[in-house]
Amino acid sequence: MRISTITLYQSGISKINSLQAEQSRLQQQIASEKRILTPSDDPLAASRVLELSHAQSINSMYLSNRKIANTSLTGLDISLGSITELLQTAQVTLVGAAGTLTADQKNTYAIQLTAQLETLIGLANTQDSAGNYMYAGYQNRTKPFTATATGATYNGDSNQQLLQVDGQRQLAVNAPGDSVFQAGGNDVFSAFSDVITILNNPAATSAAVQAGVATAISSIKTATNTVAAVWSSVGTRLNELDALNDVGSSRELQYAQTISELQDLDYAQALSDLTQKQTVLEAAQKSFVRITGLSLFDFIR
Amino acid sequence: MATSILSIGKSALAAAQVGISVTGHNIANASTPGYSRQEIVQRAAEAQDYGFGFLGQGTQVSQVKRIFNEFTVKQLNNAQTSSSATNAYGAQMRQIDNMLADSSAGLSPSLQAFFSSVQSLSSNPGDAATRQSVISAAQSLVNRFQSLGNRLDELRESVNTELTATTKLVTAYASQIAQLNDVISKTLGANPNNVPNDLMDQRDLLVSEMNKLVKTEVYAQDDGSYNVFVGNGVPLVIGSKSFGLTTVNSSTDASRLEVAYVSNTTKSLGDSSLPGGKIGGLLQFRSGSLDSIQNQLGQIATVFAQTFNTQHQLGFDPAGAAGGAFFNVPTPDVYGDAANSVTASLSVSITTATAITSSDYRVKYDGTNYNITRVSDGTVQSFASLPQTVDGLTISGTMSSGDSFLVQPTRNGATSLSLAITDISKIAASDATGGNGNNRNALLLAALQNTGTLNNSTTSYESAFGQLVSAVGIKTNELRVIGAAEEALVAQTAATQQSESGVNLDEEATNLLRYQQAYQAAGKVMQIAGTLFETLLTLGH
């Protein structure tokens, strides 16, 4: 077959061009560490990577929500611990006050209990690191409890602040004050306040005092149980967060692995391909020079 | 006798000279585009009857012939025109492919950042800094939508520019072909054996260049001229007369230039009547990919804005006021046909964003029915009156018989999306209960990210974008594969064509030697004739 001289040059050049293009592609892949440079390289894998990185970003969003939830719940956990301790101390105080008391003793107990009530109100008005009140429901910028002559009034609401901590899980991260301190009509502040009023009343009969102390003991016991229930639910939620974190991090690992499998470059393969392409390119260049260097005109003298 | 020998030698000498000159011409044009190698057709001169028999009278060159095979050239042109179309289509698609390739430039990161900020809002609804970050993330998401939309607009504009430039070039080629037709037919008319080879090469080259721009068919006429038709039979050259292509504004869509045929009048040609070549590729890219990509991106923007607004409006801001629109939702574009009656008007609004499609619509009134065609699949719905609701769009207006409108519900969705609020105290994170820590609406807003909203609440924003990316990838990949195959076919056909018509320098070197030897031999013949004559002259001494 005749081959025109132009064809000889063109086919040589186009082969060299395509080899160089393949080399530059490999070079780009190696530099970017990615197998897929544009979606068209592997459209299905590219859209899968997009989906997975979307899932990955949502997963990490939930992780950061869980961190926030963890901070809030840990604060709540510590605060509820202090409250429980205080209520137990108050019970011990009240048990001490259960017998027949002198006026001095009544006075001393009244002072002790008044101090405990003030501490309790202080604890019920605990703020988190952002300055939000922990026991105020949604009204977390308003001081939830103000002391009154008969205990304390609640200024918050009964709403639980929920956070999305996982795809299908919203977790309450606060404890509205009314459900902690005033649950089921048993107001712990009034319990304190009532017994303090009786102890401070010199006219109160010994029987009335004893009855008042007994009522207070029972009321504070109930309140302690309520707080304990809230405390344990907070503990359960903290445990759930840990569990969700475990699931989340194994999910993260799985996403990262799949994304890497889909788009990352097999270095060994790429480097060996590069070497191979170089060899072929060299051969193509050498043979091109050889072939085009042959001309009959060289032999015409 | 001796004079006859001398003239035989002379004829051989002349023929060898012509041979050397044609060989030289071949060598000179070895790399001239479109050149077909030439060779001489030599035959024995008419013999003379000397009584004892016919005596040859030397040689003569009857023709200088170009080696040209109409059939392989036609094959090459066919392969070339599809390859050019695929290349033009592919080059445009690669730009979109590259635009989406950069993971930091796509829509996903901005969308994710925006919803992250809404999640943060749910964990700290009263915090000013958190609220500010929602506004900032929303602004950067809007910017991203706009920049993606603008990039697609630029591509649309570049299609217009390229169509204009290309049609000008086609027109210029047509007029050059017509001029060559004129010269060639006159030359052949004077003497059918005097074939103007180089002019014919030039004309074939012009045809093949035109064919790269638009599919070109050639019909050779008896007088040697070419009649040239482009696309599906649009006559551009008839003998020595040429017509042209130009671009005109679409009668329905001002942003769109269409290719038109210029003869006595200018008439727009439909996209489908111009397959092949760069023009065909550009038109295919625009109607087959760009329109739907831009519509889909616009659909995501529109549905996103509308559904986010709907939820936002269910919430309450810190002051206890009901939430307003968070984004300005893009509105559908409506284009009336240039031939519409003066009273014709149509307005289209989005009623149910989740139900809208990424298709364009055509609304036509035939005097009895309003026919609403969904362009993407050709579905027609007929109504006796307006307003009507079709695919989440409410269409109302006044039309006379024959009026028609083009509706593009989402074409400019990405570019015209904007932020409606900049004041952080207008973010409605809470429900009606209120309270600084009330995050109920923020939670619901954040949940939109994973909710099916588009296409009748089946597809989330993110997966709609994923589908778009994968559709672009698949199309670009397909064009790359087809393009490579077509290029190989072009190379192969070109090699076949060249193997026949191309110049091989080694062959020419051989010819050169051959004619050189013939020339030397002819010289020898003349020398001998001279010696013979000398013998006669010396006889008298």
Side-chain angles (χ1 to χ4, degrees):
Chain A
M1 183 182 143
R2 282 186 83 244
I3 289 179
S4 89
T5 307
I6 291 191
T7 309
L8 216 58
Y9 278 87
Q10 275 174 347
S11 66
I13 284 298
S14 79
K15 182 68 194 159
I16 288 172
N17 274 346
S18 75
L19 281 167
Q20 281 176 341
E22 283 168 31
Q23 263 198 328
S24 119
R25 202 184 137 65
L26 274 170
Q27 169 59 36
Q28 276 182 315
Q29 286 182 325
I30 290 168
S32 67
E33 303 172 33
K34 279 184 188 166
R35 183 178 68 87
I36 306 173
L37 295 174
T38 62
S40 65
D41 292 341
D42 188 343
L44 296 180
S47 79
R48 187 88 189 91
V49 166
L50 216 56
E51 267 171 36
L52 284 166
S53 54
H54 173 218
Q56 207 177 17
S57 106
I58 287 182
N59 195 37
S60 71
M61 210 153 67
Y62 292 147
L63 176 66
S64 85
N65 278 359
R66 284 197 293 272
K67 277 184 187 150
I68 293 166
N70 191 62
T71 311
S72 304
L73 288 173
T74 307
L76 215 51
D77 186 46
I78 293 167
S79 154
L80 286 166
S82 313
I83 291 167
T84 308
E85 205 179 317
L86 178 93
L87 291 179
Q88 281 164 353
T89 314
Q91 281 183 58
V92 173
T93 311
L94 285 167
V95 169
T100 313
L101 301 171
T102 64
D104 273 358
Q105 281 172 323
K106 281 207 298 186
N107 201 23
T108 311
Y109 283 122
I111 290 169
Q112 269 185 34
L113 286 166
T114 308
Q116 283 164 355
L117 175 60
E118 276 165 11
T119 313
L120 183 62
I121 293 176
L123 283 172
N125 286 332
T126 308
Q127 287 166 286
D128 65 14
S129 53
N132 293 328
Y133 292 98
M134 287 180 180
Y135 301 103
Y138 280 162
Q139 314 297 328
N140 59 14
R141 284 280 160 189
T142 315
K143 203 180 211 182
F145 291 99
T146 28
T148 61
T150 54
T153 52
Y154 184 52
N155 311 310
D157 58 30
S158 316
N159 290 303
Q160 286 202 316
Q161 195 185 23
L162 299 174
L163 269 192
Q164 194 80 40
V165 290
D166 200 36
Q168 301 303 323
R169 185 76 174 108
Q170 293 187 341
L171 208 65
V173 294
N174 68 341
D178 55 354
S179 64
V180 178
F181 303 102
Q182 300 166 322
N186 180 48
D187 187 330
V188 70
F189 304 109
S190 324
F192 271 96
S193 164
D194 290 349
V195 75
I196 290 165
T197 310
I198 288 183
L199 286 170
N200 278 339
N201 182 4
T205 61
S206 176
V209 170
Q210 279 178 20
V213 168
T215 311
I217 287 176
S218 125
S219 172
I220 288 172
K221 217 175 227 166
T222 312
T224 314
N225 288 341
T226 310
V227 170
V230 175
W231 193 16
S232 95
S233 118
V234 167
T236 313
R237 281 179 260 167
L238 280 168
N239 285 341
E240 188 180 346
L241 284 178
D242 282 344
L244 286 173
N245 277 338
D246 289 346
V247 175
S249 50
S250 81
R251 220 185 269 150
E252 163 63 31
L253 195 66
Q254 188 195 329
Y255 291 149
Q257 234 164 25
T258 318
I259 289 176
S260 152
E261 275 163 21
L262 284 170
Q263 71 170 15
D264 284 2
L265 186 67
D266 178 347
Y267 262 100
Q269 182 69 46
L271 291 172
S272 116
D273 283 356
L274 190 66
T275 318
Q276 190 208 345
K277 291 264 148 48
Q278 259 165 351
T279 317
V280 177
L281 180 60
E282 236 166 75
Q285 286 171 333
K286 276 187 183 153
S287 64
F288 176 70
V289 171
R290 280 276 175 84
I291 290 168
T292 52
L294 275 180
S295 172
L296 203 48
F297 285 104
D298 291 344
F299 301 100
I300 301 176
R301 298 269 179 261
Chain B
M1 274 292 250
T3 50
S4 148
I5 296 172
L6 194 65
S7 73
I8 289 175
K10 198 188 114 202
S11 77
L13 198 73
Q17 258 183 356
V18 175
I20 288 174
S21 125
V22 168
T23 306
H25 188 56
N26 282 343
I27 292 170
N29 287 299
S31 57
T32 302
Y35 181 76
S36 306
R37 79 191 154 101
Q38 296 172 8
E39 58 184 33
I40 56 171
V41 181
Q42 207 176 337
R43 66 179 170 86
E46 212 168 308
Q48 244 178 33
D49 188 357
Y50 274 75
F52 53 82
F54 284 94
L55 205 58
Q57 293 299 309
T59 186
Q60 73 181 55
V61 175
S62 61
Q63 199 190 355
V64 179
K65 189 175 82 176
R66 66 170 183 151
I67 308 299
F68 182 81
N69 183 332
E70 210 179 299
F71 179 69
T72 48
V73 168
K74 192 166 257 182
Q75 267 188 328
L76 176 57
N77 280 349
N78 280 341
Q80 180 68 60
T81 202
S82 348
S83 170
S84 301
T86 310
N87 275 347
Y89 196 161
Q92 301 287 333
M93 278 307 284
R94 270 198 297 284
Q95 302 200 41
I96 303 183
D97 191 38
N98 286 333
M99 168 176 106
L100 299 175
D102 191 348
S103 54
S104 61
L107 188 63
S108 305
S110 312
L111 203 54
Q112 286 163 10
F114 174 67
F115 277 103
S116 286
S117 77
V118 178
Q119 286 282 358
S120 305
L121 179 70
S122 78
S123 66
N124 210 349
D127 183 53
T130 311
R131 284 175 165 262
Q132 188 54 57
S133 82
V134 173
I135 300 279
S136 309
Q139 187 59 58
S140 85
L141 175 59
V142 164
N143 292 349
R144 183 57 48 86
F145 264 120
Q146 285 176 349
S147 81
L148 287 173
N150 285 336
R151 189 74 192 87
L152 294 175
D153 272 345
E154 281 167 31
L155 285 179
R156 185 171 294 281
E157 197 42 54
S158 86
V159 168
N160 285 343
T161 316
E162 288 201 50
L163 281 178
T164 308
T166 315
T167 49
K168 275 192 184 136
L169 211 50
V170 169
T171 309
Y173 287 153
S175 109
Q176 290 172 39
I177 291 172
Q179 283 168 21
L180 284 168
N181 268 347
D182 192 37
V183 179
I184 289 168
S185 64
K186 277 179 183 154
T187 313
L188 286 171
N191 178 357
N193 269 334
N194 269 357
V195 184
N197 292 319
D198 296 319
L199 292 182
M200 291 176 83
D201 276 348
Q202 269 183 43
R203 188 176 59 179
D204 285 315
L205 178 64
L206 285 169
V207 168
S208 86
E209 289 300 315
M210 184 193 268
N211 176 67
K212 286 178 188 166
L213 305 179
V214 59
K215 183 171 177 266
T216 305
E217 290 276 356
V218 165
Y219 297 95
Q221 303 299 298
D222 289 344
D223 69 347
S225 63
Y226 277 176
N227 285 354
V228 177
F229 296 83
V230 296
N232 291 340
V234 178
L236 271 197
V237 181
I238 303 291
S240 57
K241 254 182 91 77
S242 78
F243 309 97
L245 294 181
T246 186
T247 47
V248 292
N249 282 323
S250 156
S251 67
T252 49
D253 178 353
S255 68
R256 206 180 187 86
L257 288 182
E258 284 174 353
V259 178
Y261 177 56
V262 190
S263 51
N264 295 329
T265 55
T266 301
K267 188 174 162 291
S268 172
L269 301 166
D271 284 4
S272 55
S273 63
L274 289 169
K278 190 176 180 184
I279 292 181
L282 288 170
L283 292 175
Q284 255 185 303
F285 162 69
R286 186 170 64 184
S287 60
S289 290
L290 182 59
D291 286 355
S292 70
I293 290 167
Q294 211 168 356
N295 284 0
Q296 283 176 53
L297 186 66
Q299 187 196 8
I300 299 173
T302 307
V303 176
F304 165 72
Q306 183 86 291
T307 47
F308 195 87
N309 275 0
T310 306
Q311 186 58 51
H312 191 252
Q313 282 159 340
L314 294 174
F316 291 83
D317 69 16
F326 198 94
F327 296 100
N328 293 315
V329 183
T331 50
D333 291 319
V334 179
Y335 300 99
D337 194 282
N340 279 356
S341 59
V342 280
T343 52
S345 75
L346 195 77
S347 72
V348 179
S349 60
I350 295 169
T351 342
T352 318
T354 50
I356 67 171
T357 69
S358 60
S359 177
D360 291 347
Y361 293 82
R362 239 173 253 292
V363 184
K364 223 176 164 117
Y365 184 52
D366 61 11
T368 325
N369 282 317
Y370 296 91
N371 297 311
I372 301 175
T373 312
R374 183 162 60 215
V375 175
S376 63
D377 59 3
T379 313
V380 185
Q381 287 178 267
S382 297
F383 302 97
S385 66
L386 290 182
Q388 294 293 339
T389 302
V390 172
D391 294 343
L393 302 168
T394 299
I395 299 169
S396 58
T398 332
M399 291 169 78
S400 306
S401 182
D403 287 347
S404 81
F405 285 91
L406 176 68
V407 181
Q408 296 178 338
T410 63
R411 175 69 51 83
N412 291 312
T415 38
S416 55
L417 177 72
S418 66
L419 206 54
I421 60 171
T422 47
D423 181 356
I424 60 166
S425 67
K426 297 287 182 220
I427 300 177
S430 78
D431 65 2
T433 328
N436 183 64
N438 190 329
N439 66 352
R440 266 192 203 148
N441 204 43
L443 283 174
L444 292 169
L445 285 170
L448 281 174
Q449 185 182 15
N450 295 323
T451 311
T453 45
L454 282 90
N455 305 329
N456 290 316
S457 308
T458 57
T459 314
S460 69
Y461 316 129
E462 193 95 23
S463 49
F465 185 70
Q467 286 169 9
L468 179 61
V469 170
S470 110
V472 168
I474 288 170
K475 189 72 206 177
T476 315
N477 189 35
E478 176 193 316
L479 289 167
R480 182 188 297 154
V481 172
I482 294 176
E486 286 178 343
E487 232 157 66
L489 182 63
V490 169
Q492 198 188 328
T493 329
T496 309
Q497 191 271 337
Q498 278 289 304
S499 77
E500 229 175 329
S501 304
V503 176
N504 180 312
L505 287 175
D506 283 351
E507 186 183 58
E508 300 306 325
T510 318
N511 286 341
L512 212 52
L513 289 174
R514 186 154 63 100
Y515 291 123
Q516 190 188 10
Q517 279 171 10
Y519 188 92
Q520 285 166 344
K524 211 66 190 172
V525 170
M526 289 173 79
Q527 193 192 354
I528 285 170
T531 337
L532 290 180
F533 197 64
E534 200 75 5
T535 314
L536 279 180
L537 288 178
T538 49
L539 274 182
H541 295 284

